[in-house]
Amino acid sequence: ITFEDTPHEQVVTLPYSNCYSFQNGVESNRIRDDYNEIYIKNGVKASTVLAEHYEQERRGAGLIHSGIYNSTSGKNDLNQFIQANPITKDLNPRHGSIQVLANRDTDLVAITEDKCFKILADKDALFNADGSAQLIASNKVLGTATAYAGDFGTTNPESFASDLFRSYFVDRTRGKVCRLSMDGVTPISSAGMHDWFADNLQVGTSATAATTIETVMGSFDTKKQLYNVTINQTSSAISGGKWSSPVITPYTLSYSETAKGWVSFKSFI
């Protein structure tokens, strides 16, 4: 004989709600279940729907920095990007995206596609009426951005190499190799190699041939004080109505600060 009306066979509906269950019983939504105690709530929802359309944004000409990192005191705020603080620095987007970031002394050097900038770090500049600048103390992480003279930049950040206060990079768009020193940007390709770099850094496609630059690798030999640059040039031509297989032609050249010129083509790559 089975009894269908026994309590353990029936579905019992509890006459209350707003409670939490962890599969081992039921808890009240008040602390200690006392009268007029604080409610246990889930607080502000971080997944609230925004009115604006949310999407990824690529800021090629902008910088953003987080909190500080101090290994001595054990402070690590690298994952904090506080919007209330001035944590962004934007360059003029007409000069293209930032290709190289490097620190020199106590400042930051930013090389874009068409321009080189010096960005003050932990200080700012106050400009006088005559155009001269005076450094002032500031709470800004990134201060005034000053452009170096000359419209030189790079689209090949792998060509960047530095030694002490000198930096070197290749401006493939203008067919030049440049040096960024204390006195500004100087095209060192003009030291007897202007035509060669202008010809071998060109890219383009014609009716019968096509030339591209795969990579422009730069390095600095501290022992011999040489800036070495390797250009990997790829070319193909039409033969029999079809494009031939691409042929990679590498060149490695060395610039000497002692001789103030290009001293050799390397026999190795």
Side-chain angles (χ1 to χ4, degrees):
I1 300 174
T2 59
F3 299 94
E4 300 294 337
D5 56 349
T6 54
H8 65 274
E9 296 289 345
Q10 298 175 1
V11 178
V12 179
T13 303
L14 298 177
Y16 53 86
S17 59
N18 294 329
C19 59
Y20 298 93
S21 174
F22 299 97
Q23 306 301 322
N24 58 352
V26 177
E27 297 180 6
S28 173
N29 66 333
R30 289 182 183 271
I31 296 178
R32 293 192 301 272
D33 198 22
D34 288 345
Y35 173 74
N36 208 24
E37 280 288 346
I38 301 174
Y39 279 101
I40 301 176
K41 299 181 180 180
N42 56 1
V44 180
K45 291 186 176 69
S47 59
T48 301
V49 179
L50 296 177
E52 296 83 6
H53 182 60
Y54 180 77
E55 61 181 5
Q56 183 181 10
E57 180 184 10
R58 294 185 177 271
R59 301 171 62 88
L63 302 173
I64 184 171
H65 56 82
S66 65
I68 65 173
Y69 171 78
N70 192 335
S71 60
T72 304
S73 61
K75 185 177 181 62
N76 185 1
D77 291 340
L78 295 179
N79 63 333
Q80 294 187 12
F81 297 87
I82 304 175
Q83 295 278 342
N85 296 334
I87 60 175
T88 59
K89 183 68 179 180
D90 291 311
L91 303 179
N92 196 332
R94 68 180 294 270
H95 300 302
S97 60
I98 298 174
Q99 299 291 313
V100 176
L101 282 177
N103 76 322
R104 189 172 68 176
D105 295 333
T106 60
D107 297 321
L108 189 67
V109 173
I111 303 178
T112 63
E113 298 178 22
D114 298 321
K115 204 75 172 177
C116 297
F117 293 91
K118 174 184 177 181
I119 303 177
L120 302 180
D122 290 332
K123 49 188 173 294
D124 206 357
L126 178 65
F127 291 92
N128 301 322
D130 58 353
S132 60
Q134 293 180 349
L135 295 180
I136 61 174
S138 174
N139 60 352
K140 293 183 179 180
V141 177
L142 300 177
T144 306
T146 306
Y148 288 100
D151 294 330
F152 298 105
T154 184
T155 55
N156 296 94
E158 71 275 8
S159 66
F160 179 83
S162 61
D163 175 63
L164 300 178
F165 58 90
R166 299 188 185 97
S167 301
Y168 305 87
F169 60 91
V170 175
D171 190 347
R172 183 183 54 79
T173 305
R174 296 166 181 83
K176 296 183 181 295
V177 182
C178 300
R179 177 188 63 204
L180 177 60
S181 186
M182 300 299 293
D183 56 350
V185 183
T186 304
I188 59 177
S189 56
S190 301
M193 295 290 288
H194 173 74
D195 291 338
W196 190 91
F197 280 108
D199 295 338
N200 288 274
L201 288 176
Q202 284 185 351
V203 297
T205 303
S206 64
T208 58
T211 303
T212 59
I213 301 297
E214 295 296 328
T215 57
V216 183
M217 301 296 299
S219 63
F220 193 87
D221 190 341
T222 56
K223 292 184 178 180
K224 299 181 180 179
Q225 294 296 305
L226 297 177
Y227 170 65
N228 300 316
V229 56
T230 299
I231 303 173
N232 289 315
Q233 187 183 80
T234 302
S235 60
S236 59
I238 293 181
S239 177
K242 296 182 179 180
W243 287 97
S244 61
S245 300
V247 178
I248 300 177
T249 306
Y251 301 97
T252 299
L253 301 83
S254 297
Y255 177 84
S256 173
E257 282 293 341
T258 305
K260 300 297 180 183
W262 298 88
V263 293
S264 67
F265 278 88
K266 298 293 186 183
S267 60
F268 55 90
I269 303 305

